[in-house]
Amino acid sequence: MRVLLAEDDEALVAGLRPALERAGYAVDVAGDGVTALLAAASTDYDVIILDLGLPRKSGVDVLREWRAAQRTMPVVVLTARDTWQEKVTVLNSGADDYVCKPFHTEELLARLAAVIKRSAGKARPTGPLTRGNLSLDETTQSIRLDGGDPLALSSIEFRLLRCFMLHAGQILSQQRLIDHVYDNSTEHDSNVIEAHVTRLRRKIGREWIQTRRGQGYVFDAPPAP
Ligand code: CA
């Protein structure tokens, strides 16, 4: 999952960024509203965390521009003022959810996971992601097959599998997977994705992930034998 953290409070960013990375997100940071608009113009984020009080362009103005341009990525707003009028403004401007500062990181992570699942068409804000007999527990970053023992995934395997499960049955190109798994500052090349897909196949069974030559990969539950 690729997240844009649009926040100018450097102390908050310094605390939140590692927590988001531990939770399996690739994190880009924008320190003002104009930079946030530019970042989202070039990258297809899975979710955006948007501070309302941003310099250069306010969070509400940024959000209104995205929605006016039919950009539908989920946006969770961070607001410092806990008034009902502001919550109404935020929701009417197209926010999917909001968190009032100061907040617990766990609450923000839970709200992010919920809006991502809703936007992927899965109205099931709690519990593991499942497909066929495979389930992925996002809190422990481990899988179970047929209800067996949990099997731990590496950070990249977890990010890849979550992306596959949220887009089951769809062709995902290597570039799309790279965009969802790595942030802008991480060096990578497409061969790396292939290596991680190979390792993931060893853990879940290779029949789960089909290669489409020249197009990418398709993840889905294999047909019953
Ligand atoms: Ca701010």
Side-chain angles (χ1 to χ4, degrees):
M1 295 288 111
R2 185 85 174 264
V3 59
L4 176 65
L5 174 57
E7 169 62 76
D8 61 311
D9 180 339
E10 288 176 12
L12 195 155
V13 169
L16 196 50
R17 182 178 199 141
L20 288 165
E21 288 172 349
R22 276 194 302 278
Y25 293 94
V27 184
D28 295 325
V29 175
D32 65 73
V34 174
T35 307
L37 282 174
L38 282 173
S42 60
T43 300
D44 182 18
Y45 288 102
D46 297 288
V47 66
I48 294 179
I49 303 167
L50 179 65
D51 178 37
L52 278 197
L54 285 176
R56 297 180 76 194
K57 195 178 268 278
S58 80
V60 165
D61 286 346
V62 168
L63 182 55
R64 285 187 177 137
E65 280 198 32
W66 282 330
R67 296 319 191 209
Q70 313 298 324
R71 299 292 304 275
T72 58
M73 65 284 187
V75 174
V76 175
V77 162
L78 303 181
T79 161
R81 288 147 293 181
D82 189 8
T83 66
W84 69 266
Q85 292 95 335
E86 187 168 88
K87 288 172 193 167
V88 170
T89 304
V90 161
L91 293 171
N92 282 342
S93 305
D96 296 84
D97 207 348
Y98 59 84
V99 177
C100 296
K101 295 180 189 174
F103 55 86
H104 289 283
T105 304
E106 288 71 22
E107 183 188 356
L108 177 63
L109 292 175
R111 289 182 184 277
L112 290 177
V115 297
I116 289 169
K117 278 178 190 158
R118 280 207 297 274
S119 80
K122 293 173 181 61
R124 189 182 41 79
T126 57
L129 272 172
T130 59
R131 191 82 180 174
N133 60 358
L134 175 68
S135 73
L136 172 67
D137 186 329
E138 291 164 277
T139 56
T140 59
Q141 304 192 356
S142 63
I143 54 165
R144 281 172 194 268
L145 272 165
D146 282 325
D149 290 336
L151 188 60
L153 299 177
S154 74
S155 170
I156 295 292
E157 289 162 359
F158 167 67
R159 293 176 188 199
L160 269 180
L161 183 58
R162 184 166 56 176
C163 190
F164 277 132
M165 291 182 85
L166 288 168
H167 302 92
Q170 302 173 22
I171 295 176
L172 294 176
S173 68
Q174 291 205 344
Q175 187 57 49
R176 182 129 183 244
L177 290 167
I178 286 170
D179 286 346
H180 284 265
V181 168
Y182 295 105
D183 60 46
N184 273 334
S185 56
T186 307
E187 289 292 323
H188 47 70
D189 64 64
S190 52
N191 295 332
V192 170
I193 288 288
E194 206 172 311
H196 288 297
V197 168
T198 300
R199 262 187 254 162
L200 191 55
R201 278 177 171 146
R202 275 190 211 128
K203 290 194 176 170
I204 65 175
R206 61 169 300 113
E207 66 280 8
W208 281 84
I209 304 172
Q210 308 293 330
T211 301
R212 299 282 177 91
R213 292 270 162 244
Q215 294 177 298
Y217 301 99
V218 177
F219 167 91
D220 213 338

